[in-house]
Amino acid sequence: MNDPQSDNSFAAGAAYIDGRYMPIGQAAIPITDWGYRRSDVTYDVVGVWEGNFFRLEDHVRRFRSSMRKFRFEPREGDEEIKSVLNRCVALSGLKNAYVAMDCLRGRPAPGMPYHPVHARNYIAAFAIPWVWVMSPEVQKRGGHLITAETLRIPADSVDPTAKNFHWADLTRGQFEALDRGADFALLLDSEGNVTEGPGFNVFFVIDDVVLTPDAGVLEGITRKSVIEICGDLGIPAKVSKVPAAEARAADEIFLATTAGGVMPASRIDGRIMGNDRPGPISMKIQETFWAKRAKGWHATPVDYAAVAAVV
Ligand SMILES: Cc1ncc(COP(=O)(O)O)c(C=O)c1O
């Protein structure tokens, strides 16, 4: 009864694939597409909260930069991508949404040389109900983290500043966390410095200074927002190397991502930080983040009237 493939309504979400709009349950890509067979995709995710996109321009700019780095050339320009995203949200009617934009490689047409240069790249996008990477309940007690044995894919192999589907290391980290009774994994690089985790950047509070890794990471839009908030609050913030030993001894740790905002932790590798609850600096930054958003910080209102032309 709940087969998403037979869901004919937009209420569960709306999608766009290569020029066409459809209910999320009907959105599918060809099984032969290199976007699927080779993870040859780049993407971005922007949040909509209470009817407003957050930092839409920043997300579309980063999406374009990721496309350039992986040599994707879809036919849609940035303005059209923004209007596609708006239309997906408008069709769904969602006030709080997770809004994805993907560029897929496609596949060379039959008879063409089997090289990615001969594939026609195309855009897919969708809006579905808001996703919390860390549930509100876990945010209250603070996430339990581990430093994973699995290392992050070297940045020289897959550029982490271009959002990509090479998630095997991150997914393996998620299972390591599960096996060790924790919620989330932080991945290190080959030199033992912290990078990031499955879908988030990480911040450490050490002696009242907020630190976030400088290399081997996606330059997160939430990370950038946190750094701006630290400036507003007069909290010293530094982008620098964070060796695993320093990470494990941090006073506080929090995670940052579009799908959840600022998400505090309370344990790392079994060590309890503070009183086993989110620390005061993490809480202050989290509160400020949501308070600023409620006041329209970097907000672009969704135009919910923009549905007529497509249905
Ligand atoms: C690997 C990785 N790092 C960091 C982030 C956080 O980036 P942003 O704050 O732009 O969502 C994400 C977001 O999905 C991610 O996938």
Side-chain angles (χ1 to χ4, degrees):
M1 230 169 86
N2 275 334
D3 176 6
Q5 296 299 325
S6 66
D7 185 346
N8 220 9
S9 89
F10 284 105
Y16 165 96
I17 302 180
D18 200 16
R20 287 183 46 240
Y21 292 86
M22 64 214 77
I24 192 74
Q26 295 175 9
I29 58 161
I31 200 165
T32 53
D33 194 303
W34 286 356
Y36 165 67
R37 294 206 66 73
R38 298 181 172 180
S39 304
D40 196 354
V41 179
T42 190
Y43 74 115
D44 217 287
V45 176
V46 57
V48 167
W49 191 253
E50 294 178 353
N52 290 295
F53 283 102
F54 181 57
R55 305 194 86 136
L56 179 61
E57 295 290 332
D58 285 330
H59 283 281
V60 172
R61 194 177 309 119
R62 184 175 68 184
F63 183 43
R64 181 63 61 186
S65 150
S66 299
M67 287 194 277
R68 289 208 178 99
K69 287 174 184 170
F70 286 123
R71 302 177 65 160
F72 286 108
E73 290 175 27
R75 58 193 161 79
E76 293 87 344
D78 291 356
E79 286 312 308
E80 191 173 355
I81 290 170
K82 282 183 234 165
S83 108
V84 163
L85 300 176
N86 183 86
R87 213 158 258 198
C88 286
V89 181
L91 281 166
S92 73
L94 290 164
K95 295 289 181 276
N96 297 327
Y98 173 104
V99 186
M101 58 204 100
D102 303 345
C103 186
L104 294 91
R105 183 68 68 194
R107 184 175 189 272
M112 294 297 286
Y114 215 50
H115 187 285
V117 76
H118 298 294
R120 186 179 69 78
N121 313 149
Y122 64 97
I123 297 282
F126 62 85
I128 54 171
W130 176 264
V131 173
W132 291 108
V133 165
M134 185 188 284
S135 70
E137 299 73 46
V138 175
Q139 289 191 44
K140 263 186 220 127
R141 71 137 152 89
H144 298 168
L145 314 179
I146 59 157
T147 50
E149 298 283 317
T150 308
L151 299 182
R152 187 81 175 102
I153 296 176
D156 288 338
S157 304
V158 178
D159 180 352
T161 68
K163 238 166 130 56
N164 63 75
F165 277 11
H166 297 267
W167 263 62
D169 54 345
L170 299 172
T171 302
R172 198 167 139 188
Q174 287 181 306
F175 279 102
E176 271 192 59
L178 181 78
D179 293 346
R180 285 166 58 186
D183 304 309
F184 298 98
L186 306 180
L187 274 68
L188 309 178
D189 65 18
S190 59
E191 283 163 15
N193 297 308
V194 177
T195 61
E196 58 189 343
F200 52 79
N201 291 115
V202 57
F203 287 82
F204 301 90
V205 183
I206 302 177
D207 295 333
D208 296 326
V209 177
V210 171
L211 297 172
T212 195
D214 60 345
V217 300
L218 179 73
E219 290 166 359
I221 309 287
T222 321
R223 172 179 178 264
K224 173 175 167 178
S225 307
V226 166
I227 294 167
E228 288 174 16
I229 287 172
C230 287
D232 292 352
L233 296 175
I235 300 170
K238 259 174 52 186
V239 177
S240 69
K241 287 211 178 321
V242 183
E246 282 180 31
R248 291 191 188 104
D251 303 319
E252 294 181 32
I253 306 179
F254 60 89
L255 314 177
T257 186
T258 291
V262 176
M263 308 174 297
S266 55
R267 298 186 188 182
I268 171 110
D269 285 339
R271 184 178 74 85
I272 291 174
M273 291 177 283
N275 62 357
D276 206 12
R277 287 289 174 274
I281 294 181
S282 312
M283 299 262 283
K284 182 78 194 153
I285 293 170
Q286 186 189 40
E287 278 161 28
T288 308
F289 177 80
W290 287 108
K292 281 172 84 77
R293 293 218 19 204
K295 284 191 197 135
W297 189 43
H298 294 298
T300 304
V302 174
D303 174 7
Y304 286 96
V307 289
V310 289
V311 274

